[in-house]
Amino acid sequence: MLRFARRAFLALTLGLVLSPALAQTQDVTVFAAASLKGSLDDAAKAWTKTSGKNVKISYAASSALMKQIEQGAPADIFASADLDWMKYGLDKKLIKPDSVSNLLGNALVLVAPADSTATITLGPNADLAGAIGDSKLAVGEVKTVPAGKYALESLTKLGILASVQPKFAQSDNVRAALALVARGEAKFGIVYATDAAAEPKVKVVATFPEDSHAPIIYPFGLTASSTNADAAAFQAFLKTPDGQAAFAKAGFTLLK
């Protein structure tokens, strides 16, 4: 009995001693826009290699991720594909204001399956609807998903929204819209340039004029609920040459 009590006391003592160390090695949890898949994975691997710390990343539409954070989902960093959803998080006091950095930029493009022979010039009153014909135009959900919101803004500015809107095939995130085109289920899709570059089954047939939509900016910020000291270190790493190498390779514009 005495021996058992001693073992229990030793186990408890070791637990108390080791618990701070365990807290220090907690994984960094990132909620990131779907369009960052691949490049952010590579950046996280680079940080893990130099720091020995691990990163867990959940990808989805920025809108869905911010709503999850609002509902209490545990995350240390939020990486949005637009400024609006980061502002939402700031307004709701879900993001630490001093931690927000606009790290990346992107371009909006029209893609088609890789074997497409379509040629389109995107300008005012372009006949995109005629080119789509009886098929579909894949886009992110236009009211919430950043890529869809940019698409809606650009199509409106070009004066062609009314003609193409009935042909929309809306998706939960930009990578889902890309997949519809890659599988040949939509004749065209509106995605980011980096998405198109990551998918060999599609090709870019036109680029939307920069002045037809708001600048595509990716802000990163620490969540207000995070107590993980490593989160700030990982975000700082993403501003360094080693941290940004994967984003540059993927075709993102580097803003920091």
Side-chain angles (χ1 to χ4, degrees):
M1 186 71 179
L2 181 59
R3 182 179 299 175
F4 176 82
R6 286 175 177 172
R7 286 178 178 175
F9 177 78
L10 180 60
L12 177 61
T13 303
L14 286 173
L16 292 173
V17 171
L18 291 174
S19 57
L22 291 173
Q24 290 174 4
T25 59
Q26 181 183 357
D27 292 346
V28 175
T29 301
V30 182
F31 279 15
S35 51
L36 292 168
K37 176 67 177 173
S39 54
L40 185 56
D41 289 334
D42 289 344
K45 290 175 184 176
W47 185 68
T48 296
K49 186 176 181 179
T50 59
S51 69
K53 309 293 180 62
N54 293 320
V55 181
K56 295 190 301 184
I57 308 174
S58 294
Y59 294 101
S62 303
S63 51
L65 294 171
M66 177 47 69
K67 287 296 184 178
Q68 289 176 29
I69 292 172
E70 186 175 20
Q71 292 165 10
D76 298 306
I77 296 174
F78 173 57
S80 176
D82 72 357
L83 298 175
D84 290 346
W85 282 109
M86 184 61 77
K87 182 179 184 301
Y88 181 94
L90 289 167
D91 290 344
K92 295 286 187 176
K93 302 187 185 306
L94 300 169
I95 300 294
K96 297 175 182 178
D98 294 341
S99 72
V100 177
S101 296
N102 297 336
L103 295 184
L104 306 168
N106 216 328
L108 195 68
V109 299
L110 184 72
V111 294
D115 59 357
S116 173
T117 59
T119 57
I120 296 174
T121 300
L122 288 173
N125 303 311
D127 188 20
L128 179 56
I132 298 169
D134 295 331
S135 187
K136 294 293 184 180
L137 175 64
V139 295
E141 206 286 321
V142 298
K143 291 184 178 180
T144 57
V145 176
K149 292 165 62 181
Y150 291 124
L152 184 68
E153 182 183 3
S154 189
L155 294 169
T156 301
K157 183 74 174 291
L158 295 175
I160 58 177
L161 176 63
S163 62
V164 300
Q165 194 164 17
K167 303 175 187 295
F168 280 175
Q170 299 187 56
S171 300
D172 291 340
N173 61 71
V174 69
R175 288 295 175 95
L178 180 71
L180 287 177
V181 182
R183 294 195 300 263
E185 296 175 21
K187 191 169 184 178
F188 298 103
I190 301 177
V191 300
Y192 301 123
T194 53
D195 296 311
E199 175 52 77
K201 293 182 180 179
V202 307
K203 69 178 182 180
V204 175
V205 295
T207 300
F208 285 86
E210 286 187 11
D211 61 1
S212 69
H213 57 80
I216 300 172
I217 296 174
Y218 290 71
F220 286 57
L222 302 177
T223 63
S225 61
S226 175
T227 58
N228 190 341
D230 293 328
F234 177 57
Q235 185 168 313
F237 173 78
L238 296 179
K239 302 177 187 180
T240 67
D242 287 344
Q244 295 208 319
F247 299 116
K249 183 179 180 180
F252 286 95
T253 302
L254 306 181
L255 304 181
K256 290 287 186 179

